[in-house]
Amino acid sequence: MKKVITSNNKLDTINLGKSLGSILSIGDVVTLTGDLGAGKTTLVSGVAKSLKIKDTIQSPTFNILKCYFDGKIPLYHIDAYRLEEVNKDIGLEEYIEGNGVAFIEWPIFIKELLNIPHLEIEIKNKGNDKREIILKSNDKHYVEIIRRLK
Amino acid sequence: MIYLLLDSSNTLLSVGIKKDKKLLDKISYPCFQRQSEYMIVEIDKIFKKNKLDIKKINGVMVSIGPGSYTGIRIALTIAKVISYALNVPIYPISTLEINKLINKDSIVLFNARSNRSYIASFSKNKRLLKDQVMSNDKVMKYINSHKKFHLIGDLSYLSLKGETIDVLNNMNALFDSIKPIKDPNKVKPIYLKETYL
Ligand SMILES: Nc1ncnc2c1ncn2[C@@H]1O[C@H](COP(=O)(O)OP(=O)(O)OP(=O)(O)O)[C@@H](O)[C@H]1O
Ligand SMILES: [Mg+2]
């Protein structure tokens, strides 16, 4: 199943994150691909809002993993950008298969940890503030989530 | 003789004080992925509550895995710092072992993710399986061929029900079987998983 949603500005992307956050549950895994500045972290900040997380979401590019425990359910935000060609054996699977929802930017660098069903989101920059957001999954659970998203 | 007991290698945060043969006091609660924020606080609290001076302890007993990658390193790092600063030995013990049923037949399991488990088994006090990572298919076969064994751990990931064990009571009971290590640099976490790259 595949769905394409157009975002015309930052707020659209945040709102998509909010609706996604409101239907995700513990154990769900979402990968985010797209160029630098596409809007991956922006989408996660919308998810955090709907989970009632108070902290501001910042790109965990330098710390690889950030956990937010103060919301309705734990949110794990992984940015694997810095894990290219280094030892990835740092226990990330405990978050990907953890007690919360996991969002993973640059999943290509931790492919070996993603042999589990997940929702794939790709964000394409269409110039200025316009983005094409593509949601994909073959797994039943995530197909249902895609279906429920507007 | 006073000893500090620590375990954060799984979902719990556990801190105990052993005085001679007895477990003098303990605190233990679920704290998955957040033990680093609370372990020092709990150590401080339990010593104050019992009017004891941590500087007077004779050693630290700590579980060193296998278990959560970060979890095992939290208690172990704290134990190493205390060992180094106070010049007292570390008593390292397997996390699977402190979850066994003493004097009974038990299989201890934790979720190692990616369809695998950490497993060890014990018959009375004899070890059957050494600590290892096993695919969940094999784990199910092992369980089915040891029907009389108690299953221990949070086994919801296998759709099974496991018993929970008081790890601090067990650490106290197993203390005498553990060899103290004087040099904190010699104690290493047991992780067992392969590296990916
Ligand atoms: N429609 C839009 N959706 C999301 N962000 C937008 C949009 N239009 C403009 N922006 C801007 O694009 C930037 C997106 O930054 P963000 O940190 O979310 O990107 P990223 O994909 O996480 O990048 P990186 O790979 O560097 O982590 C922000 O500065 C945001 O204001
Ligand atoms: Mg980002």
Side-chain angles (χ1 to χ4, degrees):
Chain A
M1 162 109 183
K2 178 172 158 179
K3 185 182 267 182
V4 182
I5 294 174
T6 304
S7 162
N8 288 310
N9 50 54
K10 190 178 171 179
L11 191 64
D12 278 356
T13 305
I14 291 175
N15 283 334
L16 178 67
K18 279 192 189 169
S19 4
L20 183 58
S22 68
I23 50 181
L24 290 177
S25 51
I26 287 177
D28 284 348
V29 179
V30 182
T31 60
L32 298 162
T33 53
D35 293 338
L36 295 168
K40 303 182 290 294
T41 299
T42 304
L43 186 103
V44 178
S45 74
V47 174
K49 279 213 176 73
S50 74
L51 295 177
K52 303 270 182 276
I53 289 164
K54 284 181 209 84
D55 283 342
T56 31
I57 301 292
Q58 282 163 337
S59 224
T61 309
F62 294 100
N63 12 0
I64 299 165
L65 166 73
K66 283 201 76 174
C67 300
Y68 302 89
F69 291 109
D70 67 322
K72 285 192 216 158
I73 50 177
L75 171 68
Y76 310 121
H77 187 188
I78 294 169
D79 186 329
Y81 193 69
R82 289 202 315 141
L83 291 180
E84 187 179 10
E85 287 178 24
V86 298
N87 177 11
K88 304 169 208 321
D89 206 357
I90 54 173
L92 285 177
E93 61 270 38
E94 290 161 36
Y95 301 89
I96 296 169
E97 297 176 59
N99 285 353
V101 294
F103 278 80
I104 303 154
E105 298 188 34
W106 299 97
I108 180 144
F109 299 132
I110 50 168
K111 280 200 300 279
E112 46 286 270
L113 299 180
L114 289 165
N115 298 322
I116 46 165
H118 60 272
L119 172 61
E120 284 174 40
I121 298 182
E122 187 188 345
I123 308 180
K124 286 188 180 155
N125 194 330
K126 292 284 174 182
N128 298 323
D129 286 0
K130 200 169 166 189
R131 305 285 191 273
E132 198 175 86
I133 302 178
I134 305 154
L135 304 114
K136 263 196 299 197
S137 186
N138 295 324
D139 180 77
K140 210 171 82 209
H141 172 70
Y142 294 103
V143 166
E144 184 54 31
I145 287 171
I146 296 173
R147 213 170 258 143
R148 286 170 63 188
L149 272 178
K150 300 172 290 305
Chain B
M1 301 285 261
I2 308 246
Y3 299 90
L4 170 63
L5 314 180
L6 299 175
D7 170 44
S8 61
S9 44
N10 244 299
T11 54
L12 295 180
L13 183 163
S14 302
V15 177
I17 297 179
K18 174 181 170 66
K19 188 173 183 209
D20 301 321
K21 293 278 153 204
K22 284 220 309 262
L23 188 59
L24 180 70
D25 199 2
K26 62 176 174 181
I27 172 121
S28 186
Y29 55 87
C31 195
F32 186 45
Q33 297 168 334
R34 308 188 69 180
Q35 291 107 333
S36 64
E37 293 171 51
Y38 298 105
M39 189 158 249
I40 298 275
V41 180
E42 296 300 346
I43 294 172
D44 187 50
K45 270 205 266 183
I46 202 169
F47 273 88
K48 286 200 173 119
K49 182 178 152 214
N50 288 281
K51 300 196 167 50
L52 289 169
D53 182 359
I54 188 159
K55 296 198 188 84
K56 303 235 164 79
I57 62 170
N58 302 91
V60 189
M61 185 180 199
V62 62
S63 59
I64 55 165
S68 157
Y69 182 92
T70 311
I72 56 184
R73 283 163 176 77
I74 290 164
L76 180 54
T77 303
I78 292 172
K80 283 186 179 198
V81 171
I82 293 173
S83 160
Y84 175 68
L86 302 180
N87 196 22
V88 295
I90 294 179
Y91 294 74
I93 185 167
S94 149
T95 304
L96 289 160
E97 179 147 19
I98 62 170
N99 281 279
K100 75 178 181 185
L101 268 171
I102 291 174
N103 284 325
K104 292 200 173 120
D105 295 344
S106 48
I107 303 173
V108 185
L109 291 154
F110 310 136
N111 189 357
R113 312 291 193 297
S114 313
N115 267 311
R116 298 167 303 172
S117 298
Y118 291 117
I119 184 170
S121 64
F122 307 86
S123 176
K124 306 289 175 279
N125 277 332
K126 226 180 69 219
R127 202 182 244 279
L128 296 181
L129 279 184
K130 66 171 208 274
D131 292 4
Q132 58 195 276
V133 183
M134 194 184 269
S135 75
N136 289 343
D137 291 345
K138 278 198 182 158
V139 166
M140 292 309 294
K141 279 187 196 134
Y142 190 81
I143 291 173
N144 287 328
S145 60
H146 294 77
K147 285 232 163 24
K148 296 231 168 79
F149 279 58
H150 293 265
L151 294 180
I152 294 154
D154 176 2
L155 306 186
S156 48
Y157 73 100
L158 295 172
S159 308
L160 290 170
K161 234 181 110 56
E163 299 171 44
T164 42
I165 296 295
D166 186 326
V167 289
L168 289 166
N169 269 342
N170 263 10
M171 287 173 89
N172 181 44
L174 295 166
F175 184 87
D176 290 335
S177 68
I178 300 301
K179 209 176 100 216
I181 297 182
K182 281 220 175 85
D183 178 0
N185 286 316
K186 296 223 163 78
V187 188
K188 299 265 184 306
I190 309 173
Y191 189 51
L192 298 179
K193 282 191 210 164
E194 79 288 358
T195 40
Y196 288 101
L197 195 86

